Amino acid sequence: MVLALILCVPLLALSAGSVSEAKLGKDIVEREISDETSTFALNDKAYLWMRVVDGKGETITVTWSAGEQSYDVPLNIGSDSWRTWSSKILHIAGEWTVTVKDSAGATLHQSSLTVQ
């Protein structure tokens, strides 16, 4: 019985999908990232574009963080190979972190960017 439970745990962890590709940039053109960069000017709009696989029906959360401030953006995943993105106007200078988590709170991806 214990062996059966141990074998099921990895399968449950995979059920929320994964981020197979992620890019930061300044725009989205034809559902792809454009002007890929990790350095932005104050008040620029930044995009985190990503491809999520095996996550159909799940909701992931993108958290944009700078210092003590954080902003959550939930995204619904519509198929087993899904391109999606989140955007944020970067109103605080300095280092930012963008974290993608599944509905169980597991980190699927993390990126850093600089606002000058």
Side-chain angles (χ1 to χ4, degrees):
M1 182 67 166
V2 173
L3 180 59
L5 290 175
I6 292 171
L7 292 175
C8 290
V9 171
L11 295 176
L12 292 174
L14 293 174
S15 67
S18 63
V19 175
S20 66
E21 187 178 6
K23 299 176 184 179
L24 288 165
K26 294 185 178 182
D27 201 1
I28 300 292
V29 176
E30 296 182 12
R31 292 185 264 172
E32 296 288 341
I33 197 73
S34 177
D35 299 324
E36 189 174 346
T37 186
S38 62
T39 304
F40 297 85
L42 191 62
N43 295 315
D44 272 358
K45 189 172 192 177
Y47 292 84
L48 175 69
W49 174 95
M50 67 202 107
R51 182 178 306 277
V52 180
V53 295
D54 300 326
K56 182 179 180 179
E58 297 293 327
T59 299
I60 60 173
T61 301
V62 178
T63 303
W64 298 81
S65 303
E68 298 294 317
Q69 303 289 319
S70 66
Y71 310 90
D72 291 341
V73 180
L75 299 172
N76 296 319
I77 307 304
S79 74
D80 283 330
S81 181
W82 191 254
R83 291 177 293 181
T84 188
W85 55 88
S86 174
S87 65
K88 176 77 180 110
I89 295 177
L90 304 169
H91 62 285
I92 300 171
E95 299 301 314
W96 285 70
T97 303
V98 187
T99 307
V100 181
K101 293 188 176 185
D102 65 16
S103 58
T107 299
L108 303 176
H109 175 79
Q110 189 165 359
S111 292
S112 297
L113 61 97
T114 302
V115 178
Q116 301 176 332

